[in-house]
Amino acid sequence: MTTISKLDAAVHQLNLAITLFFKGDYLASLTLAGAAEDCLAGLCTAAGKQVAADHIADHHEKDVDPAVPAGKRRGVVFTVLNRARNAAKHADRPDENTVEVDQIHPLQMLMRAIPMCASLEAKPSDEIKTMVRWVHDHPEVQQ
């Protein structure tokens, strides 16, 4: 049996998610990136550091339909942010028999996870460095 830290486990998942992303396996990449992002969010919360999804929700809460009560707008943002990840990992609705996965879905999880690795002072892996360069070289994905 091997014992590793939660941070090391999340970085390992993230590295594999990046590798699979570049191989075009967006479903497996999404699943692993989502697991890493969730673990990293918990670690950030425990360390008193900002969670990437919270930052995104803070920014986009104003974009939710004003007819939605103010106290529920954040929930709407999180539903959108987590839709692809949740669709890939849950099978609890009988009306959902398929999963749609595109390049953007794992990319969103990867881009949420990577800044939290930095915040938690994880040494950037070669995979993370490659992903950051790829995003920099593909400004269209930053829209």
Side-chain angles (χ1 to χ4, degrees):
M1 176 169 47
T2 302
T3 303
I4 63 173
S5 71
K6 293 281 188 168
L7 179 57
D8 288 343
V11 171
H12 180 71
Q13 291 172 319
L14 184 58
N15 289 339
L16 287 173
I18 292 167
T19 298
L20 292 167
F21 177 85
F22 287 122
K23 288 183 177 184
D25 188 342
Y26 300 135
L27 178 60
S29 178
L30 170 63
T31 302
L32 281 168
E37 188 275 342
D38 191 43
C39 185
L40 292 163
L43 293 170
C44 281
T45 298
K49 297 180 182 289
Q50 186 166 32
V51 173
D54 287 333
H55 178 72
I56 295 166
D58 291 344
H59 180 76
H60 286 288
E61 207 171 345
K62 68 183 179 343
D63 299 329
V64 175
D65 183 348
V68 174
K72 296 192 181 228
R73 291 181 190 158
R74 190 171 182 78
V76 170
V77 174
F78 275 104
T79 297
V80 172
L81 285 176
N82 296 326
R83 181 174 287 138
R85 176 180 65 188
N86 289 342
K89 73 177 188 173
H90 295 296
D92 55 354
R93 291 183 51 184
D95 61 329
E96 289 183 351
N97 295 320
T98 61
V99 177
E100 291 184 19
V101 182
D102 197 0
Q103 181 188 56
I104 193 66
H105 299 127
L107 182 60
Q108 290 169 340
M109 284 295 140
L110 292 167
M111 299 319 308
R112 283 166 51 177
I114 290 171
M116 290 190 292
C117 282
S119 176
L120 292 164
E121 299 178 5
K123 182 181 175 200
S125 64
D126 290 340
E127 291 88 350
I128 290 172
K129 290 175 187 175
T130 298
M131 187 81 237
V132 170
R133 275 193 305 274
W134 184 87
V135 169
H136 179 269
D137 292 344
H138 293 83
E140 70 276 8
V141 301
Q142 299 174 39
Q143 302 297 328

